[in-house]
Amino acid sequence: ETDLALESALAQTYRDFEIIIVDDGSTDNTPDMAEQCTSERVRYIRHEHNRGCSAAYNTGIKAATGDVITLLDSDDRWKPENLERQVSFLLRHPEVDLVFTDVTIVSAGKPIPSLIDLMNVFPKLLHEKRQGDEFVLSSREMYLCLLQELPVKPTAALARRELYARAGLFNEAWPSGTDWDLFLRFSRSACFGYIDAPLSIQTRTSDATHQKYVEQDKLFLLELFTKEKSRLKNDREAL
């Protein structure tokens, strides 16, 4: 699967990029695959021991040198126009800190064409705006949405580097499920953009990280929810 992810990154129509492969203590052919890759765009970093996806994300973010950063899990892939459309969006909307797209989910071989179609709150937010296939969403709109559901996947999101400097990185204390925490922190100050097209493909497998740590994920989310509620105080709408 890692081969497909790397191939989809190298096949992007937008060409001004670097690729950082973070090997989180793998036992598969990732080192060989990285060694065989002849593109000067690709750098390889290895964790000697498995530290979890949050640590792997953070290693890649810290090593990146570009103005914008996006993440691609080893079992996911992008459509060729993904980066070009996201970068174009940010260039046309300097007020936007992060842009994300819809996602096609492949589970047990059966594709779910649209992650957003599974949501309840986010589609209503889009309907209220009555635009084409590109939307600008305020930090408040996204914050209230994120308190109810998570329409953003790391694989489908492109963020300006300064957003991480402002809001922080992934929480490495938990092995999985920390993307909600990150996007919630982003939404306290960031303007979001959304492209209504499934430009990323997420593959759900039985050995995926979020499947291994289902119980820990729920504990983390409960802890996060409790902390978020305590900091809201007089915000009746958010409460």
Side-chain angles (χ1 to χ4, degrees):
E1 292 289 357
T2 305
D3 291 356
L4 294 176
L6 181 57
E7 285 173 14
S8 78
L10 289 169
Q12 291 298 297
T13 54
Y14 182 81
R15 303 305 299 165
D16 186 14
F17 60 78
E18 63 179 352
I19 295 173
I20 299 163
I21 300 173
V22 180
D23 181 345
D24 191 31
S26 71
T27 56
D28 59 14
N29 68 332
T30 300
D32 295 334
M33 181 204 66
E35 191 174 323
Q36 291 167 11
C37 185
T38 57
S39 174
E40 70 272 0
R41 300 172 183 272
V42 179
R43 281 191 286 150
Y44 174 74
I45 301 172
R46 178 175 171 83
H47 291 169
E48 286 308 311
H49 305 287
N50 182 274
R51 292 165 49 191
C53 64
S54 294
Y57 285 155
N58 288 346
T59 293
I61 292 165
K62 290 173 186 175
T65 61
D67 295 327
V68 293
I69 297 171
T70 185
L71 306 163
L72 181 62
D73 288 343
S74 60
D75 48 3
D76 298 341
R77 56 195 188 276
W78 292 325
K79 292 185 178 177
E81 67 275 23
N82 177 60
L83 285 185
E84 186 171 5
R85 289 201 61 181
Q86 289 183 313
V87 169
S88 172
F89 189 104
L90 288 184
L91 288 173
R92 286 180 284 111
H93 297 280
E95 76 278 16
V96 171
D97 302 287
L98 178 151
V99 59
F100 67 101
T101 74
D102 199 354
V103 178
T104 293
I105 299 169
V106 178
S107 180
K110 297 179 181 178
I112 300 169
S114 168
L115 168 71
I116 301 303
D117 283 353
L118 303 178
M119 301 286 131
N120 295 311
V121 177
F122 190 68
K124 294 175 185 174
L125 181 57
L126 299 183
H127 182 70
E128 289 171 5
K129 292 186 172 289
R130 293 191 174 91
Q131 296 177 358
D133 63 351
E134 293 191 353
F135 299 80
V136 174
L137 305 148
S138 71
S139 61
R140 178 67 176 179
E141 286 172 324
M142 280 304 301
Y143 178 70
L144 292 174
C145 175
L146 287 164
L147 288 177
Q148 300 167 83
E149 65 188 17
L150 181 58
V152 194
K153 293 289 185 186
T155 283
L158 181 78
R160 299 188 194 275
R161 167 190 290 283
E162 59 260 30
L163 186 53
Y164 286 100
R166 194 165 76 224
L169 302 177
F170 287 87
N171 184 341
E172 296 185 22
W174 294 84
S176 176
T178 60
D179 48 338
W180 182 47
D181 168 50
L182 182 78
F183 291 127
L184 205 55
R185 279 187 275 123
F186 280 176
S187 70
R188 291 177 195 154
S189 66
C191 181
F192 282 62
Y194 172 67
I195 300 170
D196 193 23
L199 301 180
S200 291
I201 301 165
Q202 181 186 54
T203 304
R204 290 185 177 173
T205 58
S206 58
D207 63 345
T209 304
H210 68 273
Q211 296 287 1
K212 292 180 182 177
Y213 299 108
V214 171
E215 186 175 340
Q216 290 96 323
D217 281 3
K218 285 182 167 45
L219 290 170
F220 173 67
L221 294 179
L222 285 168
E223 179 184 296
L224 180 59
F225 231 153
T226 304
K227 286 181 180 176
E228 197 66 26
K229 187 175 180 181
S230 66
R231 67 178 290 278
L232 288 172
K233 296 180 182 176
N234 298 321
D235 189 342
R236 289 180 173 272
E237 186 179 27
L239 280 168

